[in-house]
Amino acid sequence: MAIQTQLLKAREVAQASEAQLHNEVHKFKAHFSVSPQLAVVLVGHDPASQVYVRRKHETCHKLGIRSVKIELHPDITEKELLHHIQRLNADPDIDGILVQMPLPSHLDAKKIIEGIDPLKDVDGLTTSNLGALVAGNAKAVSCTPKGVISLLKFYDIQLKGLNCAVVGRSLIVGKPMALLLQQEDATVTMCHSATRNLKGILQQMDLVVIAAGKPMLFGKEFFREGAVVVDVGIHRIDNGQICGDLKATEMNGHLLAYTPVPGGVGPMTIISLMENVVKLAFNRRSNLK
Ligand code: GUN
């Protein structure tokens, strides 16, 4: 009998989280007499990054969070960019700093991220916050992996004891994703570009998170029947359509559930960002008092 495949959509989760965030922002304002404030640094004119940054601002606005955009020339030097970040670090009215990735190739992303005050690091990407994540006490966790866990929990997917694979080992998605799944008592295998027999490994898994960055690379032959797949990829292909790393048209009737692109992981990333801004704002301003 064909499996009834469920789409893990973000819309309902986002609505519930937004309602909760609205209350949190309200409490924050009552307590500190201002709203939390996010600063987003955008270097260059990458069209996808411009869209993402605009969405972040729109969501901030909707929730009553202040946001400021710092748009910088693509030829900016590392020293100049670090100078902007230091200014934001020192500004007591800025609660969160996000440097939109990817950066132009002449800039060393790791060095730039390390310039962010860990107390304002809403992406959870500084060494200090990544270390805290390993230790299990992170103040802010990278937004996409955090959003994936929230989405799976919303749909009541029990992670304890599951055999999970994460495809991709980036600092922003793969590595924190594997740690968060482990914290939920899943057994986690990390796969990457040098993994041998990727298909054979993925076919054993109950849950696969794909962050390979390759449009429609993964067909149904990679997954066992009844598996759950989270697709972190987002690509605009030649015909203008948006797709993920999955060949989504092959998944109906084969998987138990998967995340659509768009409408799956993407909106969850933004919600996690908002949660991180509010959380860091509460932490920092409470300690300043
Ligand atoms: N580019 C794509 N996703 C992200 C994200 O979550 N944070 C940052 N800083 N850049 C991104």
Side-chain angles (χ1 to χ4, degrees):
M1 206 174 69
I3 293 174
Q4 276 281 357
T5 305
Q6 186 177 26
L7 281 179
L8 306 174
K9 293 186 187 172
R11 209 173 69 188
E12 271 179 62
V13 201
Q15 275 168 0
S17 306
E18 280 177 9
Q20 200 174 345
L21 275 166
H22 235 291
N23 287 340
E24 293 285 307
V25 172
H26 197 73
K27 270 194 238 162
F28 187 94
K29 276 190 203 165
H31 198 78
F32 298 104
S33 309
V34 283
S35 319
Q37 180 164 222
L38 170 68
V40 177
V41 179
L42 176 61
V43 181
H45 311 294
D46 176 55
S49 291
Q50 283 173 332
V51 173
Y52 298 142
V53 167
R54 196 175 59 235
R55 283 199 195 132
K56 287 167 188 173
H57 280 281
E58 285 166 0
T59 313
C60 279
H61 183 71
K62 194 162 145 193
L63 296 175
I65 296 170
R66 289 176 295 157
S67 65
V68 55
K69 179 161 72 172
I70 293 107
E71 286 179 284
L72 300 170
H73 194 274
D75 292 337
I76 191 167
T77 64
E78 237 164 55
K79 196 170 162 200
E80 287 165 334
L81 179 51
L82 283 169
H83 192 77
H84 281 280
I85 292 172
Q86 278 149 13
R87 185 179 54 77
L88 296 168
N89 285 342
D91 185 340
D93 202 30
I94 295 288
D95 297 290
I97 303 169
L98 180 145
V99 178
Q100 184 66 26
M101 299 292 160
L103 287 171
S105 57
H106 69 281
L107 299 169
D108 180 347
K110 276 194 181 159
K111 206 158 147 190
I112 300 302
I113 287 164
E114 283 315 304
I116 300 173
D117 179 345
L119 297 176
K120 298 187 178 188
D121 169 24
V122 282
D123 265 323
L125 288 177
T126 54
T127 301
S128 155
N129 277 324
L130 285 170
L133 176 62
V134 175
N137 57 10
K139 300 247 178 343
V141 176
S142 182
C143 303
T144 300
K146 177 178 155 98
V148 168
I149 297 288
S150 304
L151 187 65
L152 294 171
K153 285 192 171 168
F154 181 85
Y155 282 99
D156 245 343
I157 293 171
Q158 306 294 323
L159 295 169
K160 188 172 180 170
L162 284 198
N163 288 319
C164 301
V166 178
V167 182
R169 55 181 157 176
S170 66
L171 273 188
I172 198 162
V173 181
K175 285 186 179 127
M177 187 75 251
L179 286 165
L180 290 183
L181 287 168
Q182 232 172 66
Q183 280 170 17
E184 296 295 330
D185 292 329
T187 303
V188 185
T189 304
M190 283 199 78
C191 305
H192 45 75
S193 50
T195 297
R196 274 185 273 159
N197 188 21
L198 178 64
K199 198 187 291 178
I201 294 172
L202 297 188
Q203 281 167 348
Q204 312 287 316
M205 296 295 155
D206 304 311
L207 181 130
V208 180
V209 179
I210 303 190
K214 300 266 170 26
M216 293 196 283
L217 185 68
F218 293 85
K220 70 177 192 181
E221 71 279 8
F222 279 85
F223 313 108
R224 72 161 177 79
E225 222 179 62
V228 174
V229 178
V230 175
D231 187 355
V232 175
I234 181 154
H235 316 275
R236 186 178 290 276
I237 49 176
D238 290 342
N239 62 9
Q241 264 186 323
I242 305 283
C243 70
D245 291 356
L246 266 190
K247 283 183 192 155
T249 49
E250 295 186 4
M251 301 304 151
N252 267 331
H254 183 72
L255 295 179
L256 183 65
Y258 70 98
T259 59
V261 177
V265 173
M268 294 307 303
T269 299
I270 298 189
I271 283 296
S272 303
L273 171 65
M274 300 298 129
E275 289 169 354
N276 283 349
V277 174
V278 174
K279 187 173 174 204
L280 290 187
F282 264 116
N283 283 351
R284 196 181 59 87
R285 297 204 193 226
S286 306
N287 289 333
L288 284 180
K289 274 202 150 182

